[in-house]
């Protein structure tokens, strides 16, 4: 089949079926209840961080502005796939339109922006702890605003290419996705024209984003730890330690699951593992972040 024929055939796949969790009805209802509670608590926790930062002048510092943006991102990111998953758990009609599927993929991929925000936050902590004297002059409000803009723009743009590729990729059936939302791997597997280049490009782009931000964050926390250990023991050191520990916990949660998902070869092929790991990083990370930040932080 030529590329053009295949592209015409795109018309035949108007919607995809998201299999989700094809288990017993009772288990699905139970999952629905559990996931709804987690989703509600996630929204609540992240919204309270944003409100706390907005309402308190004391928290109008770069660190908290970045954190509020990060929380906002998590709300968007969780809301891109969880409501549809919840609806599919209790509904018999598990279809999603072609456009809806691409949009879902696009917004879910905003987790790239999450990597950028984590990098910006580690840069901020690095300056604050390793260059305390220069911190107020370097990390001005303007720089902070610029960082925020770069993170959002970076998140939207770096995935735009993948989304364009995906919308080109002709889908002529089958249209059954054994997943609970339209993720890259399952979608690529359904494309009917062999597109090794697309697969390769997608893999390259996502690994570049994951590894670059991860290496950057790792480097800043190594320097940070080094600096913190040189500070004489005392309250200052403890405070620096606990802030960095909470940031680092979030980083490990996020990158741990992302790496298992996108880097380990076996997890991709097995739909069960794939669903479980995806579920972990798309629900657990945003759920734990507010807890980690507010429990470990006296300002909050
Ligand atoms: C399922 O819902 C979609 C809209 O979300 C609709 O277009 C489609 O016709 C429905 N299918 C069935 C079998 O009800
Ligand atoms: C994100 O950062 C911008 C610029 O620093 C700030 O004005 C905005 O209030 C932040 N967004 C949230 C949701 O806090």
């Amino acid at each position: 089949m030529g590329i053009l024929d295949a592209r015409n055939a795109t018309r035949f796949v108007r919607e995809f079926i998201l299999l989700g969790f094809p288990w017993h009805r009772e288990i699905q209802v139970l999952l629905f209840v559990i996931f709804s509670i987690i989703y509600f608590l996630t929204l609540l926790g992240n919204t309270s961080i944003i409100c706390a930062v907005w309402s308190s002048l004391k928290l109008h510092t770069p660190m908290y502005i970045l954190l509020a943006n990060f929380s906002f991102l998590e709300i968007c990111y969780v809301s891109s796939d969880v409501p549809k998953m919840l609806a599919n758990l209790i509904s018999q009609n598990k279809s999603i339109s072609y456009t809806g599927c691409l949009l879902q993929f696009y917004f879910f991929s905003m987790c790239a922006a999450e990597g950028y925000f984590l990098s910006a936050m580690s840069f901020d902590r690095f300056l604050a702890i390793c260059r305390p004297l220069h911190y107020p002059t370097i990390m001005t409000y303007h720089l902070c605003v610029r960082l925020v803009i770069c993170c959002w723009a970076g998140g939207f743009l770096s995935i735009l290419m993948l989304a364009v590729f995906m919308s080109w990729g002709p889908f002529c059936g089958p249209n059954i996705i054994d997943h609970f939302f339209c993720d890259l791997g399952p979608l690529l597997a359904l494309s009917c024209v062999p597109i090794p280049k697309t697969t390769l490009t997608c893999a390259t782009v996502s690994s570049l984003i994951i590894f670059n931000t991860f290496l950057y964050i790792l480097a800043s926390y190594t320097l940070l730890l080094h600096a913190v250990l040189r500070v004489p023991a005392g309250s200052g050191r403890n405070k620096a330690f606990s802030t960095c520990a909470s940031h680092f916990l979030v980083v490990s949660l996020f990158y741990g699951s992302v790496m298992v998902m996108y880097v380990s070869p076996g997890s991709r092929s097995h739909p069960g593992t794939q669903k479980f790991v995806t579920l972990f990083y798309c629900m657990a990370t945003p759920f734990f972040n507010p807890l980690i930040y507010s429990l470990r932080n006296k300002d909050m």
Side-chain angles (χ1 to χ4, degrees), residues 39-52:
Y39 180 55
F40 175 72
L41 291 179
T42 306
L43 293 187
L44 191 70
N46 285 297
T47 317
S48 358
I49 288 194
I50 297 177
C51 293

Side-chain angles (χ1 to χ4, degrees), residues 15 84 93-97:
E15 52 182 32
K84 185 68 187 169
N93 181 355
K94 298 184 191 302
S95 72
I96 181 169
S97 69

